[in-house]
């Protein structure tokens, strides 16, 4: 492959992936040192009064408070009288008190670092995040391959680069 074209591919793919790679590198540090980056969760508790004890009244009360549930979430909440909705860095816990016609809503925000860590771990993320993460991972592999190929084309430095590449592989294998 033409070195000029390979350089352009390497550069443009690197620029496309910069933000994601930076995020994953930063969160690797925050995940390795959780006590350095931990914060107190913000918890908001709210009680929502419901006019009647009918299931539809509970769902309507939630909708009036900007909480939209899927059909499966609605069924789980009505059947079990509780539901947890988890997203990256946040949780909403819902509890129905049929005797007093109340919904207890507990909104927990674990903070920005927790959200970024959960994105890194692909926990409580939307399907689109998984798709984008997989695409970025594939592009980063292409960046690694193109960078390695470009470096090995330098005959004067090839031996040094091969030593560095071998040392990197040995370090990875010994740490596993």
């Amino acid at each position: 492959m033409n070195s000029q074209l390979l350089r352009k591919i390497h550069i443009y793919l690197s620029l496309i992936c910069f933000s994601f790679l930076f995020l994953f590198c930063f969160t690797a540090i925050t995940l390795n040192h959780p006590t350095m980056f931990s914060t107190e969760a913000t918890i908001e508790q709210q009680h929502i009064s419901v006019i009647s004890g009918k299931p539809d009244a509970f769902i309507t009360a939630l909708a009036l408070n900007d909480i939209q549930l899927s059909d499966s979430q609605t069924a789980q909440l009505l059947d079990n009288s509780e539901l947890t909705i988890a997203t990256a860095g946040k949780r909403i816990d819902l509890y129905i008190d049929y005797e007093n016609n109340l919904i207890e809503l507990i909104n927990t925000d674990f903070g920005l670092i927790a959200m970024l860590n959960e994105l890194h771990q692909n926990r409580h993320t939307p399907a689109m995040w998984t798709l984008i993460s997989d695409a970025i991972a594939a592009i980063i592999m292409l960046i690694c391959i193109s960078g390695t190929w470009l470096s090995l084309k330098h005959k004067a430095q090839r031996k040094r680069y091969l030593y560095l590449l071998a040392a990197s592989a040995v370090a990875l294998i010994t740490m596993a």
Side-chain angles (χ1 to χ4, degrees), residues 19-76:
S19 299
F20 290 93
L21 189 55
F22 190 88
L23 167 78
F24 285 117
C25 291
F26 175 75
T27 53
I29 294 168
T30 62
L31 286 165
N32 284 337
H33 306 282
T35 56
M36 287 176 56
F37 297 97
S38 65
T39 58
E40 285 291 319
T42 304
I43 301 172
E44 295 177 12
Q45 189 172 5
Q46 177 183 1
H47 289 92
I48 303 169
S49 295
V50 180
I51 296 170
S52 74
K54 294 180 182 177
D56 289 344
F58 287 99
I59 302 310
T60 302
L62 288 171
L64 291 172
N65 284 278
D66 294 325
I67 299 173
Q68 303 295 326
L69 302 177
S70 68
D71 291 340
S72 63
Q73 289 173 324
T74 300
Q76 182 181 349

